[in-house]
Amino acid sequence: MSFPKVTPSKKPIYLDYAATTPLHPEVKKAMEPYWQKQFGNPSSLYRQGREAKNALDKARIGIAKIINSKPEEIIFTAGGTESINLAIFGVAQAHAHLKPHFITTAVEHHAVLRSFQALEQWGYEVTYLPVDGEGFVKVQEVAAAIRPETVLVSVMYANNEIGTIEPIVEIGKLLKQVNFDRTKNNLKPIYFHTDACQAAGFLNLDVSALGVDLMTINGSKIYGPKQTGCLYIRSGTKLAPFIHGGGQEKNLRSGTENVPGIVGLAKALELAEKSRSKESRRLKKLSEYFFKQLQRTIPNILLNGPKIGEQRLPNNTNLSIEGTEGEALMLYLDSYNIACSTGSACSSVETDPSHVLLAIGRGREQAESSLRFTLGKFTTKQELNYVLKILPGVIQELRKVTTQK
Ligand SMILES: *Cc1c(COP(=O)(O)O)cnc(C)c1O
C-alpha cells in the first residue's frame, strides 16, 4: 500500500474533544490552593474546614448563576455517569412502590441506557423512543409514550456521537402541560431529566427556560477535571440517595467532597459559558469548511446526523466512509499523530457497531465505517488542512484493499 508520504505532525492534532478535553490552564490555577494549602474537610468546623466549605459554597453559587437555579439545587458528583445514575436510580427508588414507568430515547449515552437496562432487570418498564434519520426524537412520540405510571422522561440535550440537538424546550413544555393536568387529578408529576454533558459550552443551560427538573453536567468535556460533575435537582423533586454514608450533599451523595475538583468544575463552566457564543460561531465555521473540503476531495461519504447548522453541535463532524473500516482509518490517522474516534469513545473496547448510527437507520457496514471528528478550543484551520492532506489518500488506499478482497 502507498499511504500519503507526509511526515507525521510533530504536534499532536487532537480532534476528539467530545471524548474529553485538556484542563484549561485557568482551571488548573483555580484548583491549585485546594490540594495542599486549603486541604480541609468541608464538614470540619474549624478554620480549615470552613475555608473548604466556603470554596464549595462559592462553586455552587457560580454554577447556579449559569444554569439559573438556586445554589441548593446543585449536587456535586464524581462525573456525568454518576449524575445520570443518581437521577435515574434516585427517581426509581423514590417511586418503587408505584410500579413506575420510564421514557428515554434509543440514542442516549450508555450511562443512561445501561442504567435503564438495569432497572428493566429489576422489573421496571422502560420505553426507548426511536429517532428519525438525523437523530431527532419527536415530541409527539414522547406524548404518546406517557402512561399513568410514568415518573421520569430522560432525553439528552445533545448527542455525543452525531451532535443532534434534541427538542428539550418543546418536551419540557409538553411535560409542564401534562403535569398541570396530573396535579389537578392528584397524580404524581413526571420528572424531566436531560443529559447536558455535550451541551455545556455550546448551548443555553438555563434550567427554567429548558423546563427540566434534573440536569447532568460534567467537567471532563468542558476543560475541567475528569471525574467531576453535578446534578441539578429542582427543589421538590423526590429522589432517593444512591450513595450512602456521611450525609454530604443533602444526603444525596455521601463522601468527603472533591474540593479541588468542584472548584475546577465551577471554573470550567464559568469559562465555557463566557466563551460560549464566540467559540460556537468559530467552531461552526471550521466544521462547515472541514466538511465541504471532505466532500470535495472524498467520493461516497455520508454525514451522520443533522446538516451542519443550528440543530447540530457546532464542533461535531461524523462521517460514514463507504468501503472502509472506521477503526482502521482511526489507527492510520493516529500514525500521523491525528486523534479522532470511531462512533463513540466508549466503543473502543466494544465490538458492536454504534447504537446511535443503527438508530438513525445506518446499516451495520455504514456504522462500522464511521469516523467522528470533534473540534475544540485549540483546533485551528491549519490542523484541519493537515487532516485534509492525509485523509483522502488513506481512504483511497483502504478502499483499494477492500475491493481486492
Ligand atoms: C461523557 C458523557 C457522559 C459520561 O460522563 P463521564 O463524566 O465520563 O462519566 C454522559 N453523557 C454524555 C452525553 C457524555 O458525552
Side-chain angles (χ1 to χ4, degrees), residues 314-329:
N315 71 331
N316 175 297
T317 307
N318 186 319
L319 309 164
S320 279
I321 302 162
E322 197 184 296
T324 66
E325 264 176 34
E327 201 166 283
L329 278 174

Side-chain angles (χ1 to χ4, degrees), residues 284-296:
K284 180 164 163 262
K285 259 198 206 143
L286 280 181
S287 294
E288 270 162 352
Y289 166 77
F290 188 48
F291 182 58
K292 244 194 210 135
Q293 295 304 311
L294 289 168
Q295 258 187 324
R296 205 174 56 77

Side-chain angles (χ1 to χ4, degrees), residues 260-287:
I262 290 167
V263 168
L265 171 72
K267 189 69 186 177
L269 192 63
E270 177 198 319
L271 294 170
E273 189 60 22
K274 221 188 268 170
S275 65
R276 183 159 72 85
S277 54
K278 213 172 152 191
E279 187 64 358
S280 294
R281 258 178 283 133
R282 185 183 83 88
L283 292 180
K284 180 164 163 262
K285 259 198 206 143
L286 280 181
S287 294

Side-chain angles (χ1 to χ4, degrees), residues 25-174:
E26 278 188 55
V27 172
K28 190 172 177 218
K29 207 170 110 201
M31 292 168 72
E32 191 51 42
Y34 298 97
W35 296 110
Q36 292 176 307
K37 253 203 219 137
Q38 300 186 42
F39 62 89
N41 184 325
S43 298
S44 306
L45 297 177
Y46 43 79
R47 192 168 63 91
Q48 286 93 331
R50 290 196 308 272
E51 279 171 3
K53 176 72 167 46
N54 278 341
L56 285 192
D57 290 345
K58 257 180 75 184
R60 221 183 293 276
I61 291 167
I63 294 175
K65 262 199 198 126
I66 292 167
I67 69 168
N68 190 22
S69 77
K70 290 176 251 170
E72 61 270 24
E73 292 175 311
I74 291 162
I75 298 297
F76 291 115
T77 68
T81 302
E82 193 189 296
S83 291
I84 289 166
N85 275 256
L86 172 59
I88 294 173
F89 289 96
V91 170
Q93 274 182 282
H95 299 81
H97 57 292
L98 297 172
K99 285 193 156 256
H101 166 250
F102 300 81
I103 299 172
T104 189
T105 80
V107 293
E108 301 294 310
H109 188 274
H110 279 140
V112 172
L113 286 181
R114 300 228 163 113
S115 293
F116 279 123
Q117 283 161 11
L119 285 186
E120 283 184 292
Q121 301 224 310
W122 297 352
Y124 294 78
E125 291 206 38
V126 182
T127 301
Y128 299 90
L129 298 173
V131 294
D132 69 12
E134 295 182 332
F136 294 106
V137 65
K138 292 212 167 47
V139 183
Q140 306 92 281
E141 301 237 25
V142 179
I146 293 172
R147 303 180 194 170
E149 315 80 57
T150 307
V151 293
L152 178 70
V153 172
S154 188
V155 178
M156 70 200 318
Y157 197 170
N159 189 275
N160 47 305
E161 291 191 39
I162 57 175
T164 310
I165 299 168
E166 298 294 350
I168 299 303
V169 173
E170 288 72 21
I171 298 170
K173 278 186 189 147
L174 162 80

Side-chain angles (χ1 to χ4, degrees), residues 12-27:
I13 295 181
Y14 185 75
L15 294 172
D16 202 14
Y17 285 87
T20 191
T21 47
L23 199 69
H24 193 298
E26 278 188 55
V27 172

